[in-house]
Amino acid sequence: MSLRVYNTLSGKKEIFEPLVPGKVGMYVCGVTAYDYCHIGHARANIVFDIIYRYLQFLGYEVKYVRNYTDVDDKIIQRANERGIDSRVLAEEFIQAFDEDMASLGLALPTCQPKATEHIDQIIAIVKRLIERGLAYESAGDVYFAVEKFPDYLKLSKRNMEDMRSGARIAPGEQKRHPMDFALWKTAKPGEPCWDSPWGPGRPGWHIECSAMSMEFLGESFDIHGGGKDLVFPHHENEIAQSEGYSGKPYVKYWIHNGFVNVNQEKMSKSLGNFFTIREIHKSYDPEVVRFFILTAHYRSPIDFCDQNLQEARAGLTRFYEALQGAAEAVAGLEPDGGGSEEGAALEDRFREAMDDDFNTAQAIGHLFDGVRAINRHCTTKKFRKKPELVASVRDLRQTVLRLGAVLGLFQSDPRTWLEQQKLAALSRLDIDVQQIEQRIAERNQARRDKDFARSDAIREGLEDKGIVLLDTAQGTDWKIK
RNA sequence: GGCCCCGUCGCCAAGUGGUAAGGCAGAGGUCUGCAAAACCUCCAUCACCAGUUCGAAUCUGGUCGGGGCCUCCA
């Protein structure tokens, strides 16, 4: 079965066939650098990180471009509020973005261009759009004339009549049609600006993505992605500008990820109910966040709340415990190198799920089956004397790790990861490691004395504080309840 | 007002014509001095109604409920 992707343009799942066999050009709208990234940015970037990784896993040579928009009304406004230069502000948040994405374990895109480094290309596109009669100058601004582009609104599937009521003209704008949008804005005093045929000014919001995508990927390319909220107006306007400029189809597959809700409520800048990635990391490991996001399909809405994150942590812990168990179970045994039927079957099902519009939720479901198989084998009596089971466990472990890598999961050392989670959880409790170990020593003495009443009392006392004791052949360990 | 999406077990969440993945929680069992983990077993007919079909959670129409876009937002 081949890869199928949902294309916003057609509203259907389509067989994925890149323009050039074996190669994929992919552009994803990055951030406007004026604030810290929130969980919505995390989702979008994780989703496209997975798409990038999976395309590579399938053997495609992928050129992945993700931009920084570093000149924009909001950047200027925020910089003015803080009394600093807008370029300084943009740099600050670009750096923060890079740190946040790295913390989430994202693979680096092939190119990460900045809008301000592509002003020449932007001006060239605007000039040509004017020459072609698709744009016009008006008091130093340049607007795109949407009525001159018959395909306008083909992505968002609306019509001009319906949109008209919502469209408005801001004071100072001199547009011919309310839906026309700015390609170039004349500079106001104190704003960053560049020379242009229309006087000093700066790009409008959408044009930078047309310029950067076509610069790196050509006038037609395979995949353009972003959050659902960008369909209109951002991506619609990109199509108008780019196709108006080149006369060619701009993008073959438009891919949009769904929203993140917070406690069942729409998250938005205006409501102010968003969490930054930095805040979230104080409570949850970045991999837990990634795991949570990938347990839903990328187009479905997800609800960001404590319960869901805690469940994600429990699920991820199950993976790491199984991987740790598998590593211990086969330690010291002669490797036989070969694969296994179970491992191969797992990979087949994983690919089948991912081929169906990157269904990570289903793919993770299959990986859970792999976990159960590992655990089942490892707990089989005389496991180490059964070569088929040993081979299966070894192969399943490697398969889970290898497929996990496609999702950006399970790549930490299990023992280290589990230990970190334990200590992080402990720091929120009213007890420390020394106290726990003290109690364990007392209990072990009681057990040696066959004083089980005292032993159980200690167990229960610790449990009240959130600590569960685990008796193993190697001694007594503990974990957070 | 226009356009669009969704409603699957207690919770989360896949499944878009062939008879309901998975996780969490729950019940029983194996193991354990007792526990925990792990493993085994069990646990839904898909908001409602009416159609199409040999067959529908999946298609059509309607009802009820929830949400999104049309304004900055991933």
Side-chain angles (χ1 to χ4, degrees), chain A residues 38-56:
Chain A
H38 54 62
I39 180 69
H41 294 106
R43 183 181 197 189
N45 284 286
I46 286 170
V47 162
F48 289 102
D49 182 59
I50 286 346
I51 291 176
Y52 177 42
R53 288 172 194 248
Y54 189 63
L55 289 168
Q56 291 182 114

Side-chain angles (χ1 to χ4, degrees), chain A residues 340-352 366 395-396 399 403:
Chain A
S340 71
E341 273 181 38
E342 282 178 304
L346 179 57
E347 177 161 345
D348 284 348
R349 283 181 295 151
F350 177 87
R351 293 177 92 114
E352 201 181 316
H366 293 322
D395 186 47
L396 280 168
T399 303
L403 301 178

Side-chain angles (χ1 to χ4, degrees), chain A residues 291-350:
Chain A
F291 187 86
F292 162 64
I293 285 169
L294 296 180
T295 49
H297 183 87
Y298 75 88
R299 283 187 283 118
S300 302
I302 54 173
D303 188 35
F304 186 87
C305 63
D306 274 327
Q307 188 190 337
N308 288 348
L309 268 288
Q310 278 162 19
E311 281 188 11
R313 176 154 55 202
L316 185 56
T317 301
R318 187 164 152 81
F319 274 98
Y320 272 122
E321 284 178 346
L323 289 168
Q324 172 66 14
E328 284 171 4
V330 300
L333 292 173
E334 282 296 307
D336 74 341
S340 71
E341 273 181 38
E342 282 178 304
L346 179 57
E347 177 161 345
D348 284 348
R349 283 181 295 151
F350 177 87

Side-chain angles (χ1 to χ4, degrees), chain A residues 69-357:
Chain A
T69 294
D70 59 346
V71 53
D72 165 90
D73 291 353
K74 295 186 292 293
I75 296 173
I76 293 166
Q77 190 192 332
R78 188 64 59 90
N80 288 344
E81 285 165 15
R82 280 175 49 181
I84 59 173
D85 189 283
S86 63
R87 278 160 295 200
V88 173
L89 183 94
E91 265 321 305
E92 177 185 331
F93 285 109
I94 285 174
Q95 203 184 328
F97 175 87
D98 287 344
E99 288 167 10
D100 289 344
M101 294 305 123
S103 76
L104 290 168
L106 299 200
L108 279 180
T110 321
C111 327
Q112 299 191 83
K114 294 175 185 168
T116 55
E117 291 167 356
H118 295 268
I119 300 294
D120 291 347
Q121 290 92 326
I122 288 170
I123 289 173
I125 294 170
V126 177
K127 269 170 82 175
R128 179 117 148 237
L129 287 170
I130 293 175
E131 284 161 20
R132 294 192 153 203
L134 290 164
Y136 57 92
E137 186 196 345
S138 176
D141 294 337
V142 179
Y143 296 99
F144 187 93
V146 296
E147 287 176 306
K148 299 288 171 66
F149 185 74
D151 276 347
Y152 195 60
L153 303 181
K154 70 177 173 183
L155 184 69
S156 52
K157 300 171 179 43
R158 301 159 200 257
N159 62 65
M160 294 287 261
E161 291 70 51
D162 295 337
M163 296 294 291
R164 199 150 191 149
S165 58
R168 59 202 65 163
I169 301 181
E173 290 182 329
Q174 297 184 32
K175 297 189 210 173
R176 293 178 188 166
H177 183 105
M179 298 282 293
D180 290 351
F181 57 91
L183 297 169
W184 188 262
K185 295 185 173 190
T186 192
K188 297 192 191 99
E191 289 184 353
C193 64
W194 290 263
D195 286 330
S196 82
W198 319 285
R202 60 192 167 87
W205 170 32
H206 318 289
I207 190 72
E208 83 280 13
C209 283
S210 290
M212 289 184 273
S213 59
M214 291 196 285
E215 168 81 10
F216 289 98
L217 300 171
E219 293 175 350
S220 295
F221 58 93
D222 300 298
I223 294 175
H224 192 130
K228 215 176 177 177
D229 50 330
L230 295 181
V231 173
F232 185 87
H234 186 54
H235 289 161
E236 197 69 71
N237 292 353
E238 269 191 73
I239 292 175
Q241 295 159 349
S242 305
E243 299 193 349
Y245 166 82
S246 71
K248 296 173 190 163
Y250 176 46
V251 168
K252 193 165 180 190
Y253 304 98
W254 285 93
I255 300 180
H256 294 97
N257 63 275
F259 287 122
V260 177
N261 293 136
V262 171
N263 296 318
Q264 319 244 42
E265 202 180 39
K266 170 190 158 62
M267 179 181 84
S268 77
K269 295 259 162 108
S270 46
L271 287 173
N273 62 341
F274 57 89
F275 289 98
T276 65
I277 293 171
R278 284 155 195 245
E279 286 164 347
I280 292 161
H281 286 350
K282 289 178 191 162
S283 310
Y284 297 100
D285 182 78
E287 193 174 345
V288 169
V289 175
R290 176 182 277 262
F291 187 86
F292 162 64
I293 285 169
L294 296 180
T295 49
H297 183 87
Y298 75 88
R299 283 187 283 118
S300 302
I302 54 173
D303 188 35
F304 186 87
C305 63
D306 274 327
Q307 188 190 337
N308 288 348
L309 268 288
Q310 278 162 19
E311 281 188 11
R313 176 154 55 202
L316 185 56
T317 301
R318 187 164 152 81
F319 274 98
Y320 272 122
E321 284 178 346
L323 289 168
Q324 172 66 14
E328 284 171 4
V330 300
L333 292 173
E334 282 296 307
D336 74 341
S340 71
E341 273 181 38
E342 282 178 304
L346 179 57
E347 177 161 345
D348 284 348
R349 283 181 295 151
F350 177 87
R351 293 177 92 114
E352 201 181 316
M354 292 297 286
D355 274 348
D356 186 11
D357 196 28

Side-chain angles (χ1 to χ4, degrees), chain A residues 330 333 336 338-343 373 377-378 380-396:
Chain A
V330 300
L333 292 173
D336 74 341
S340 71
E341 273 181 38
E342 282 178 304
H377 294 156
C378 289
T380 299
K381 286 204 169 79
K382 298 190 179 155
F383 160 74
R384 289 170 70 91
K385 292 190 175 152
K386 295 182 176 170
E388 342 66 76
L389 291 189
V390 170
S392 258
V393 166
R394 207 190 303 271
D395 186 47
L396 280 168

